Amino acid sequence: MFDDINDLYQQVILDHCKKPRNFHEMPQCSCSAQGFNPLCGDNLKLYLTVDGDVIKAASFVGSGCCICKASASLLTENVKGKTKAEAQQMFERVRDLVTNGKSEGDVGKLAVFAGVYKYPARVKCAILSWHALIGALKGEAAPVSTANEQT
Ligand code: ZN
């Protein structure tokens, strides 16, 4: 059906870009964070409902490029049911993946971003929602901007 694995990855990214999952505001959220990537113009807000140590639900709104939206969409599916520590660990794995093309641990569907490291300008697009996730978990009031991050 697909020529190779890269085509499959592209299909997943396009699907999540066109039909982002959990794409809505969450008025009753426990915490939220704004993320902004001035290099591309990506701008999103991530919402989390946290019960004790466990992320019960995640959603996002905003506008951005396909990589950014697909990454946020996959994030909201991935972190649901994870503890804060597990979500932090996923952030580190995804960061490794998008900057080096490989990760020590299992990243699940996020593996579709394995090719992003070849396009340095898109790395920040892929990681933006993950920075917002960490910002939300830390309860940081200031918006997260990739301009201030080492990636
Ligand atoms: Zn972007």
Side-chain angles (χ1 to χ4, degrees):
M1 184 174 176
F2 296 105
D3 288 346
D4 59 27
I5 192 77
N6 290 324
D7 282 354
L8 172 63
Y9 283 0
Q10 237 166 39
Q11 294 288 335
V12 174
I13 291 172
L14 279 175
D15 177 49
H16 278 265
C17 166
K18 286 181 189 157
K19 292 177 290 182
R21 317 300 197 269
N22 306 302
F23 190 69
H24 55 80
E25 293 185 359
M26 197 187 286
Q28 310 298 331
C29 69
S30 317
C31 49
S32 65
Q34 193 91 33
F36 182 51
N37 174 19
L39 288 175
C40 178
D42 305 318
N43 192 354
L44 60 82
K45 187 168 186 182
L46 185 77
Y47 303 87
L48 298 175
T49 297
V50 182
D51 184 7
D53 202 38
V54 178
I55 298 169
K56 291 287 185 188
S59 71
F60 78 106
V61 294
S63 60
C65 65
C66 223
I67 299 274
C68 169
K69 273 200 287 190
S71 174
S73 173
L74 284 159
L75 179 155
T76 59
E77 286 190 333
N78 184 276
V79 300
K80 190 177 173 186
K82 281 192 163 59
T83 65
K84 291 178 185 175
E86 286 167 345
Q88 169 80 34
Q89 189 181 48
M90 271 306 294
F91 162 73
E92 287 161 13
R93 287 177 184 178
V94 172
R95 189 179 53 190
D96 283 350
L97 184 74
V98 299
T99 51
N100 305 317
K102 52 184 186 290
S103 164
E104 293 285 314
D106 180 25
V107 292
K109 279 193 201 170
L110 276 302
V112 297
F113 294 105
V116 169
Y117 81 101
K118 295 177 201 158
Y119 309 94
R122 313 319 295 267
V123 169
K124 287 180 188 297
C125 303
I127 203 71
L128 177 65
S129 56
W130 291 88
H131 279 302
L133 169 75
I134 299 303
L137 287 175
K138 285 181 182 164
E140 284 171 3
V144 179
S145 171
T146 55
N148 305 325
E149 300 283 351
Q150 295 296 320
T151 302

